[in-house]
Amino acid sequence: MPRRRSSSSTGNPTGGSTAPRNRTPQPVRVRRRTVGDFVKAFLAFLALMVLLVGVPLALAMQFGWPLPHGVPSLDWLQQEITVQTFLNILSVVVWLAWAQFTACVLVEMKAALSGVGVPGRVPGAGPSQLLARQLVAALLLVGATAASFTPGLSQLGHGLEGNQKGTVAVAQQTPGGLFGQQREQAADTAAAVAEQAAGAAAQAEAKQGDTKYYRIQPPEGRHHDSLWEIAQRHLGDGRRYKEIYALNKDRVQPDGSRLSEASLIRPGWIMEMPADAHGGELVEMPDGAPDVSEQVRQQIHDYARTGDQAQGGGDQAQGGHRQDGRSHASVPAQRQHQDHGGGTAATPATSSSGRSFGLPEALLGAPLLAAGLLAALGHRRRQALWQSALGAVGGRRGMEPPTPTGDALDVRDALLVGADPEGVRRLDRSLRGLAAALAAESRPLPVVYAAWLTGGDLHLQLAQPAGKPPAPWQTGQDETFWVLGHADAERYEDADTAAPFPGLVSLGTMDDSRLLLNLEAVPGIVSLSGRAADRAAVFASVAAELATNGWSDRMTVTLVGFGQDLTPLAPNRLRHLDGIEALLETMEAETRQRRGALGAAGHDSVLTGRTGPAQHTRWAPHLVLLAAQPSPEEALRLAELASGASRLGIGYLVGTDSAELPGAAWEMEITGEGRLLAPLLGLELDAQMLPSAEQQAVVELFVEADPENGPEGPAPTPPFLVDITEQGRPAVYARLVGPYEIIGLDTPDDERSALLHEALALLLLHREGVHPRVLSSALWPRGVTDDVRDALVERLRSWLGTDPDGTPRLRTDDTGRLTLAKSVVSDLDVLRSLYHEATQGKGADSRAVRGRLLTDALVVVRGPLLADRPEGRYRWLTHEIVDAQLPLIVADIGLALSSFHLEKDRAVKAIEALDAALRTAPADERLWNELLRATHATGDTARLQALAADLVGRADARGLPPRTEALLDELLPPWRTAVAAAG
């Protein structure tokens, strides 16, 4: 994305530069100290002086010391209670209230000045501590930004660069100093280059031979210099701090250190400034040198030389230029973006409607969310299959899941393309592995504010230093970052430990770095401002990912003001409340309960509880997503609840119409262009969103997969039926049920044969059509360019050939999806057609026809689906349910054919049918139970005993299923004794 460039050289802070594409034209709302802030600070100071000094002086002057100066005698208790006695008692109460408030002020002052740790809670001082917090915050506002009041915030948007290798730096600072490849169109790049060239020419014309420098000022009280404020004062836009950073990155400072993070600057450092910088604190070299001391002039002179040497070569690596010995922010050339798997793919063409190649862009760019939704949807469909197989719901109607259409089909394809299940697996194993390693060393879990995923590496951002991380984790650029490389993460296996940070949720990306914010660790409320529709899209994305992510065990997500239709995604996790009052009552009760439970267990936070003996059953997080605007009174109650919620495992994300919300520790804004801004945290992200249309389509997929909501009646017709008569012989016949074979085509003899076979299998399993991007992501999960994919499609089209009328057997429908002609058939199509015809076609009215069709269907079955598929290929089958569906269809055929034979007392034939079905569905309990009945029907007790012993031998540690045991008790009462004797 093109970056903002320097304004023209007129010196006008508003500049004349045109705003770049894909960036909001509105300025970021940053709180600057105004006259009102100073007035508030002065009033807060007066209030504190009155309460802290005036109250005790008044009490001392009016009442003196209220307590007796010696040990009272018993006569004192018998004295008459006078007005003075009552006043003395009242003064004691006031003294105690003053002492409590003073303690609150001291606690809040300590937390604010140290910048580390969450303010402690003074017992019984809820309203007093809230008042103290507001007065202290108002007093300190004139000397510090809001970020100074929250531990660790000054580093949130910056640098993980110390552990990166081989990255390419560009103009904008990103998390970790990592500058990944960006999605840019040629027109955007050309416009940005032209803009940069024009700006550079104007600057060179206005300031020939002069370079401007700024010397970082020492702190004044609580106020410290920052690049944001320097850019705000001297460039007119705080967001241009990135230009200052780019000009000075890695150059040697007077104290010998280097600038490596935009948030870490020191007094006395020299900063080279863009040519259009203005203001009295700047020094221009060489003309302005006499205006400063000789020492500073020499420091600036030495620093200027580092720009020629250290930065000169670096600009080439960054793709930028140097003119007149000065650094300039570079515009990255158009390149291919890196997909979630680590490979390269062509930059998607995104339309204004938010769709890329006809698919929803919001889900294509959310790999963790897509993976969670896809996994949850697959689980829901498998659950529906088993419920249908057991006859629990609606007869047999779950055997053929509905084929999505319209927006639901597009969303399903987007999930298939965008999902990164390997990334979810690595993240989950890495976090659990870290928890297990810390538990083995008897160390508590650190407080993690955020995680950054960059190029396969995982960076955890800690609230405060927590010592040396356990191997293979390493310390990042400072002690508040723990880093795990991609190769080290691959070595982790599944760990039997609780998920340590289940509150992590994706917010968006900064270049190639993806931010996951730990909602339950935030020391207060996370507020989100912006237009209601944009906020709703962010809230929906957060709710959907929390409901389906793969790195959490248990949690409760409460939705207020939105999301009632989202609950079908995860009814066990998501709950919807009607209003804020109901939420406050619920959370007040739960806060008390959790605080008491922590105290009773002897834990100071849920993190210590998660590594203890009860880690799997307790301390699950409760995350509140409040999209409705709270009233001022409700906001204060919410702020009080959130003040100590982080140690209880409770997090709050609250939408607000204004930029300010009481108790908000982190303030964010979503723009109409999809940018998530938090200037004081150093964050400017491409937000992860789930717009309304995509949200409805996702919910539709889940609702249709739920057997409780399906239509009553017979099983639906399979999506593709073939002519099973002798005249319906196909031109191309692929055998997928068992070893993969193709009849009717010559086998390709080059190295692309495996890809062609896999592509054909994917198309055969999706007769409704396959989007080209789904095909490419399935065959090349690490990414591929469009020309390579298109070349394979053409080879596949040539290999399949044409029908007698000249029509290609591989076609493209009106939606751009690839479809196969009816002359290309698989044995799975034949199997489904035979079963459908036997149960709902001609076989439904003719017993003889039904028996013949069922027998033919069972002959088609030769084993599991694609039984000989090579290692590492066909990974897309993990997203399909056909692996679960095929055994159930085969089991149904075996059971139907067994029943057909047992009606005529042909027990041996029934056993043969059941044995054939068990070769494909060996885990189906129904087949084993029917086999017991058929064997019992033969009257061969020895054979029945042998079968019982075989079943016991196959059983796991839990033993035989209860229904099987009950059936054996009925058919073979002494089976337990016989099996024990045989064992």
Side-chain angles (χ1 to χ4, degrees), residues 615-648:
Q615 56 178 309
H616 291 287
T617 58
R618 304 175 70 177
W619 320 122
H622 187 166
L623 305 176
V624 175
L625 308 182
L626 173 58
Q629 172 73 35
S631 67
E633 295 77 12
E634 292 168 337
L636 289 176
R637 291 175 63 187
L638 200 62
E640 175 64 20
L641 286 172
S643 62
S646 59
R647 71 183 188 91
L648 304 177

Side-chain angles (χ1 to χ4, degrees), residues 316-385:
Q316 295 178 358
Q318 296 174 10
H321 316 333
R322 288 189 57 80
Q323 301 175 1
D324 302 326
R326 294 188 293 271
S327 299
H328 293 273
S330 62
V331 179
Q334 183 186 16
R335 355 175 205 197
Q336 296 170 331
H337 78 280
Q338 214 172 17
D339 77 337
H340 55 259
T344 58
T347 303
T350 305
S351 68
S352 60
S353 62
R355 300 176 78 83
S356 177
F357 293 108
L359 300 181
E361 184 69 24
L363 292 171
L364 293 178
L368 303 184
L369 169 61
L373 288 171
L374 204 57
L377 182 60
H379 176 75
R380 180 71 56 82
R381 286 176 169 171
R382 284 174 171 82
Q383 187 180 39
L385 283 176

